[in-house]
Amino acid sequence: MPLNISIKDKSFARSFSQNVEAIMELIGPHMERWRSLQVEQAALEDIRLLLAHLKNHSLPMLGRLWLEERYRGFRDLDGRNRSPKWESSELFAFKTPRLQNLELVGIVADFDSPLHHNLYTLYLEDEYFYLLEPQAAKDIIYRLLQQSPRLKQLQIHKCQSNAIIEHQNPPLHPPIIGESLNHSSLVDLTLNLARGVCDTIIPSVKLLAFRSFYSGRKSVVTISSWHLPLLAQTSAFPSLRRIDLSGHPNDPLYSIHLPAVLATLESLEELGMVQFDMTQVANALPTLGYSCPQLREVTIYQCTGVDLDQVRSLVETRIRADGMSELHKIRIFGGIDDAFPELKDKAKWVREHVEHFILLTEEDWNDDNSFQIIASHVCRRWRWFVLDMPDLWSQIHFHLLELRLSIEKYATWIQRSKDVPLDISIKGEPVKTSGAQNVEAIMTLIAPHMERWRSLQVEQVVSEDIRLLLAYLKSHNLPQLKHLRLKEWDNGLRDLGGRARSPEWESPGLFAFHTPQLQNLELVGIVADFDSPLYHNLYTLYLEDEHFHPLEPEAAKDIIHRLLQQSPHLKQLLIKDPRVRVTTVQRNPPPRSPIIEKPLKHSSLVDLTLNLREAVHDAILPSLKLPALRSLYSRRKSAITISSWHLPLLARTSPFPSLKRIDLSGLPNDLQYNIYLPAVLATLESLEELGLEQFDMSQVANALLTLGRSCPQLRELMIYQCTGVDLDQVRSLVDTRIRADGISELRKIRIFGGVDDAFPGLKDNEKWIRARVEHFVLFTEADWNEYV
């Protein structure tokens, strides 16, 4: 029977090359039966090794080959310089006479290789294509098409960056119409390449069976207007089902060919027209009345000068004409003046004759709150429902990017919201000189409805405008306000761009308003008086400002204590100093052990994030007892690393019994604190993930053995840059947890360094552990030194 073979590796295990050898010894004698070979997420070296085993062999039944390199074609990741030179024909020196489907990811074979001959589907992905000049890319695609005359699907992806929407200026001269390559079988083509490459390829091919043309960023490639003359003359894609054509409003030289192009697209079902000045191509829509006989959907996107009379005429013509499908969907996004004569009556007629009709006039399109507008324009019944649902109109979003605030429009929204709670968002740029005026206009509109405010979110607004807004709230009561977010433009960093800004936000007068139901508070770039009622009885609190940077550790500790005492039901607390940067340093322990004082107990806090200096962490952590705490985060990784000089305190007080993840860091040359590690592990009853860093494991030899019967929920263990790691103890730990009742088995173990390559029984222990642990990664000391 034919064999379907799959080899997959997600880990960084160094033994994968040995596994390849073992696999090939097993399956190599059966090459004549291979029907498919799929290798995923393997290292470059291992794929080369596998290909070397196939050299000079014949795979007579192989119909599908899929080779995927671990980094999917990205080079120089993690500091590892990896050679992109895959073009040697010796790598693919094997015969595949029946190969039909080929997928190479992170691998580029010689494009003249027999591997590319007589394929049905071909998928190539590598940053190799990112560096190619347009003409070179065109030549490669020519060769691939010529070598596989029956090719149905071709996909080529660069992986260096995502495609972006950009408006290009047309070339100085029209494209030269040369001899194009004809291919009669290609049905689907995907080119996730640079725009210049696509512009070179499109005029150079004639694809008679071509039905779909995709790109990396959207479901269809947008063909720019300067290709229109060529498409009109050659009718290059007569079978295409969907196309987007993009115009250039200031250059009619190419756009005038749009009607002629539409007349050639006999199989088209979906048409998109983007950024055309429709007054320059006035006969394009009338042309659609008698061309594109299978057309069902038309989208007109960000065009100008759209004539609704022509849209109505188009619909009516296709209804009356024989052999023409009726339009089922028309979408117009902008381009129609709100003062267009008889706009509502004409839109009503189209809506009655087209199953799905969406019309956003120019004013509607510029409105950021567009869902309600779109829904209310679908049909009369929808409009009745939408206008009668106040919850749909309860989210009021003001954006100060607007040159002129449409206060009347927002007033209409508030009126339609009736008496339901309001969610208000204000967002803008500081460079707008009208910012303060806009704040005054907004507050004049929404202040009478303060009793309905459920949330207030102010983002990217300069400090002066936030002060102005807070002044309006002075002495007022916001009885329903539950969520308050104030985010200053510079995210709490002062003196940016030469603008000196006062950090003195602590005046109680700034927040002199009542919020009896406030639950969630976020202040970025703003520091209220820490005794303010604003901080009372919260559920979540997020504070970010450089105010925290100069604070002495004891002062920061006192602030956190006050915040916790004022909100006994607080679930989440995040305090961030934006000036703190990621640094990984080995610190010396304090000259004496931390003094064990009576810690502050808080029974509700579940998540604590401290993005502060390490000295502040060292002051805060010993001073808290948090029985419900499940996660303890820092700025640089998903868990704060607790240094070893806290271990005596953790062992005695068990301050975090519910913690799900913890990283503990040792001092290899100081046994004074490290010896408490086993006692600490015995207190962490809810722990699921444990990291041990820089311990000398020979000093805490019973720590791993302790884990055999402690931390009953533990599933993941990472040992990072430790020394003296004993693989016998790791094996014993795994075995004990498998046998013990009420103890979860370990699913993931990662060891980065610390295991001597000469360790007795290294290979046997590794094999034993790998057979019983779902994910096992082992870097011996030599492996780790090579990696870093």
Side-chain angles (χ1 to χ4, degrees), residues 641-662:
T641 299
I642 298 179
S643 300
S644 61
W645 52 88
H646 296 302
L647 295 182
L649 180 61
L650 294 179
R652 295 173 193 173
T653 64
S654 184
F656 313 128
S658 301
L659 205 60
K660 296 292 184 180
R661 175 172 179 178
I662 194 171

Side-chain angles (χ1 to χ4, degrees), residues 421-644:
L422 296 176
D423 298 309
I424 298 167
S425 171
I426 303 172
K427 185 176 180 180
E429 287 185 336
V431 296
K432 296 295 182 185
T433 57
S434 60
Q437 298 169 0
N438 284 339
V439 170
E440 292 183 358
I442 290 170
M443 293 305 296
T444 301
L445 176 65
I446 65 176
H449 306 277
M450 283 185 188
E451 74 283 353
R452 292 202 286 138
W453 292 10
R454 177 171 54 195
S455 68
L456 175 62
Q457 180 172 313
V458 182
E459 286 188 82
Q460 296 182 353
V461 175
V462 294
S463 56
E464 293 78 7
D465 292 335
I466 294 180
R467 289 177 182 270
L468 178 61
L469 185 148
L470 294 176
Y472 273 91
L473 302 181
K474 188 173 182 179
S475 301
H476 281 284
N477 185 30
L478 287 73
Q480 294 196 56
L481 192 70
K482 293 184 177 181
H483 312 281
L484 176 60
R485 184 185 191 199
L486 302 177
K487 186 174 183 181
E488 197 270 342
W489 174 258
D490 291 322
N491 288 348
L493 286 169
R494 316 210 187 278
D495 304 315
L496 294 183
R499 302 168 56 220
R501 306 187 298 107
S502 170
E504 297 176 358
W505 277 94
E506 296 83 352
S507 171
L510 285 173
F511 295 91
F513 49 89
H514 302 288
T515 56
Q517 291 198 53
L518 190 65
Q519 296 178 352
N520 307 302
L521 175 62
E522 181 173 345
L523 301 179
V524 179
I526 301 164
V527 181
D529 174 27
F530 292 110
D531 290 319
S532 167
L534 197 67
Y535 294 113
H536 290 191
N537 300 313
L538 297 173
Y539 280 38
T540 67
L541 176 58
Y542 180 111
L543 301 177
E544 179 178 353
D545 193 86
E546 69 170 14
H547 171 93
F548 299 104
H549 191 72
L551 288 179
E552 293 296 323
E554 280 299 314
K557 183 192 79 172
D558 292 341
I559 288 173
I560 290 176
H561 280 203
R562 287 152 66 188
L563 294 174
L564 291 173
Q565 289 167 334
Q566 291 167 165
S567 290
H569 302 294
L570 194 69
K571 301 291 185 184
Q572 294 180 324
L573 174 61
L574 190 151
I575 298 181
K576 182 177 180 181
D577 173 7
R579 289 196 180 276
V580 172
R581 294 292 182 264
V582 176
T583 55
T584 304
V585 295
Q586 177 65 54
R587 297 178 296 144
N588 293 320
R592 55 188 175 86
S593 301
I595 298 174
I596 301 177
E597 57 185 26
K598 185 177 180 180
L600 172 68
K601 184 176 181 179
H602 192 284
S603 300
S604 298
L605 195 67
V606 174
D607 300 315
L608 174 61
T609 299
L610 298 177
N611 186 2
L612 304 171
R613 292 177 292 125
E614 296 287 356
V616 178
H617 294 173
D618 290 339
I620 292 171
L621 293 177
S623 71
L624 297 174
K625 187 176 180 69
L626 306 173
L629 190 70
R630 299 179 61 183
S631 57
L632 185 57
Y633 299 117
S634 76
R635 67 192 182 278
R636 70 178 177 90
K637 53 194 296 188
S638 55
I640 283 181
T641 299
I642 298 179
S643 300
S644 61

Side-chain angles (χ1 to χ4, degrees), residues 124-186:
L124 303 176
E125 180 178 346
D126 193 86
E127 74 171 10
Y128 173 92
F129 300 105
Y130 181 77
L131 306 173
L132 287 179
E133 292 296 323
Q135 193 62 37
K138 186 194 82 170
D139 292 342
I140 288 174
I141 291 177
Y142 262 39
R143 287 150 67 187
L144 295 175
L145 292 174
Q146 289 169 332
Q147 292 166 167
S148 292
R150 293 178 293 177
L151 192 69
K152 301 291 185 183
Q153 293 181 328
L154 174 60
Q155 294 190 48
I156 300 181
H157 296 261
K158 64 178 174 66
C159 56
Q160 188 64 238
S161 63
N162 293 326
I164 58 173
I165 299 176
E166 56 184 7
H167 189 83
Q168 290 187 308
N169 292 320
L172 297 176
H173 305 286
I176 298 175
I177 302 176
E179 183 177 355
S180 59
L181 172 68
N182 287 358
H183 195 283
S184 301
S185 297
L186 193 68

Side-chain angles (χ1 to χ4, degrees), residues 256-320:
I256 59 174
H257 294 273
L258 176 60
V261 171
L262 297 178
T264 69
L265 299 170
E266 299 176 359
S267 301
L268 198 67
E269 296 178 357
E270 300 177 36
L271 169 65
M273 292 180 285
V274 182
Q275 296 179 331
F276 281 97
D277 181 348
M278 300 303 289
T279 61
Q280 295 177 355
V281 287
N283 56 341
L285 292 179
T287 299
L288 281 177
Y290 295 98
S291 59
C292 305
Q294 300 181 43
L295 188 67
R296 296 179 178 274
E297 298 185 16
V298 175
T299 300
I300 302 174
Y301 181 83
Q302 286 189 327
C303 294
T304 58
V306 181
D307 187 334
L308 204 56
D309 284 325
Q310 290 190 349
V311 176
R312 173 174 175 168
S313 176
L314 160 63
V315 173
E316 188 172 16
T317 301
R318 295 187 71 92
I319 290 174
R320 298 176 183 274

